[in-house]
């Protein structure tokens, strides 16, 4: 399928690895020039070089922490008149409700709610002026079905979901769509961290932890970054202009819900 976004410019946050990298690769395959962001310089530059070599697109890198005002400013400057924004950030650590204080919640909100909102506010107006734009926020299956040990993530990502629900409908008439992708467990470093916590808590092997978690997923496996990236690229395509304010689960059927 021709996605119709050849030559567009996309900002992809946290794209040196994992799901963000999957999105960057899929967009590059469709001919989209990239502004890739991550905190770690080495991994970011390596991923950018590989994408540029594989797909022949222009790739600009911004090594910065976008949860900070300085990091946001650097990314916004590099973005220019971006046509596509993919918001992404690693989730806060798991724990019990008694573990977290105000500073923990502020950090989670900065990373998983306020930073995406800041980038939306900075980049969407020019998309509206040009009559076309796409924003995809990578959130979590937890906004559909909260995960008890991920209380910080549940709270912050659900806040972003509420913001998108209203904002997406205000900008849709200008040709800009905003939607959310809700990943379940994918074969990424985040899954490794969660499985590592199970290993420590239950005294089992990593292989056992992975097998046990995979058994809870109807698809019987973890997702891949490639299939996640393909879904992101479709939401950024010319074919997705009538999809507004939606929350698309990519969890292998793990979340049991009718809506």
């Amino acid at each position: 399928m021709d996605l119709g976004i050849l030559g567009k410019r996309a900002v992809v946050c946290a794209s040196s690895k994992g799901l963000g990298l999957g999105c960057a690769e899929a967009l590059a395959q469709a001919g989209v020039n990239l502004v890739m962001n991550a905190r770690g310089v080495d991994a970011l530059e390596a991923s950018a070089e590989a994408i540029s070599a594989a797909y022949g697109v222009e790739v600009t890198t911004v090594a910065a922490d976008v949860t900070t005002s300085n990091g946001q400013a650097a990314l916004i400057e590099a973005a220019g008149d971006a046509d596509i924004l993919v918001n992404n950030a690693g989730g806060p650590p798991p724990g019990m409700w008694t573990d977290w204080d105000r500073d923990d919640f502020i950090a989670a909100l900065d990373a998983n709610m306020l930073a995406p909102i800041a980038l939306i506010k900075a980049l969407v107006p020019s998309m509206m002026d040009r009559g076309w734009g796409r924003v995809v926020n990578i959130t979590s299956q937890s906004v559909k079905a909260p995960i008890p040990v991920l209380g910080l993530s549940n709270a912050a990502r659900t806040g972003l979901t509420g913001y998108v629900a209203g904002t997406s409908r205000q900008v849709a008439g200008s040709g800009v769509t905003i939607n959310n992708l809700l990943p379940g467990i994918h074969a990424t470093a985040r899954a490794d961290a969660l499985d590592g916590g199970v290993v420590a808590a239950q005294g089992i092997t990593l292989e056992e932890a992975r097998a046990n978690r995979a058994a809870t997923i109807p698809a019987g496996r973890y997702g891949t970054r490639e299939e996640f990236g393909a879904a992101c690229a479709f939401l950024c395509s010319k074919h997705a202009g009538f999809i507004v304010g939606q929350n698309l689960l990519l969890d292998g059927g793990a979340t049991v819900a009718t809506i």
Side-chain angles (χ1 to χ4, degrees):
M1 178 186 291
D2 177 11
L3 298 183
I5 49 178
L6 178 68
K8 298 288 189 184
R9 183 174 177 86
V11 175
V12 187
C13 299
S15 53
S16 64
K17 60 185 71 174
L19 300 182
L21 177 58
C23 294
E25 290 170 331
L27 289 169
Q29 187 174 19
V32 176
N33 298 314
L34 301 175
V35 178
M36 295 177 62
N37 158 254
R39 288 176 296 178
V41 175
D42 292 342
L44 177 61
E45 294 298 335
S47 294
E49 183 177 346
I51 287 176
S52 180
Y55 303 109
V57 298
E58 176 187 322
V59 182
T60 300
T61 58
V62 180
D65 182 354
V66 295
T67 68
T68 68
S69 57
N70 288 340
Q72 291 163 18
L75 185 56
I76 291 165
E77 181 178 0
D81 289 331
D83 306 289
I84 296 167
L85 168 63
V86 179
N87 276 313
N88 182 35
M96 296 296 292
W97 62 275
T98 52
D99 295 335
W100 305 311
D101 57 24
R102 185 178 187 278
D103 289 342
D104 296 314
F105 279 100
I106 294 300
L109 289 169
D110 277 337
N112 300 127
M113 178 182 173
L114 299 179
I117 290 173
L119 294 177
I120 288 170
K121 291 181 66 177
L123 300 183
V124 164
S126 66
M127 296 180 191
M128 295 173 69
D129 290 342
R130 297 191 304 276
W132 197 96
R134 299 286 186 264
V135 178
V136 174
N137 303 297
I138 301 176
T139 62
S140 169
Q141 70 184 104
S142 68
V143 304
K144 286 279 191 180
I147 301 170
V149 297
L150 298 182
L152 293 174
S153 180
N154 295 342
R157 296 190 192 278
T158 301
L160 177 62
T161 304
Y163 175 84
V164 167
T167 303
S168 62
R169 288 159 173 89
Q170 293 175 313
V171 305
S174 296
V176 179
T177 68
I178 308 178
N179 293 287
N180 305 314
L181 281 178
L182 284 54
I185 293 297
H186 286 68
T188 65
R190 175 67 166 170
D192 289 342
L194 294 174
D195 289 338
V198 173
V199 169
Q202 298 182 10
I204 60 177
T205 67
L206 182 60
E207 291 71 24
E208 289 172 326
R210 288 173 176 163
N212 291 343
R213 194 185 298 276
T216 69
I217 303 171
R221 63 176 178 86
Y222 288 10
T224 69
R225 79 171 193 239
E226 291 81 8
E227 59 196 346
F228 188 90
C232 178
F234 176 77
L235 284 180
C236 295
S237 77
K238 68 178 183 181
H239 307 291
F242 210 54
I243 303 174
V244 174
Q246 298 304 300
N247 296 283
L248 177 61
L249 278 166
L250 288 90
D251 66 347
T255 303
V256 181
T258 56
I259 298 176

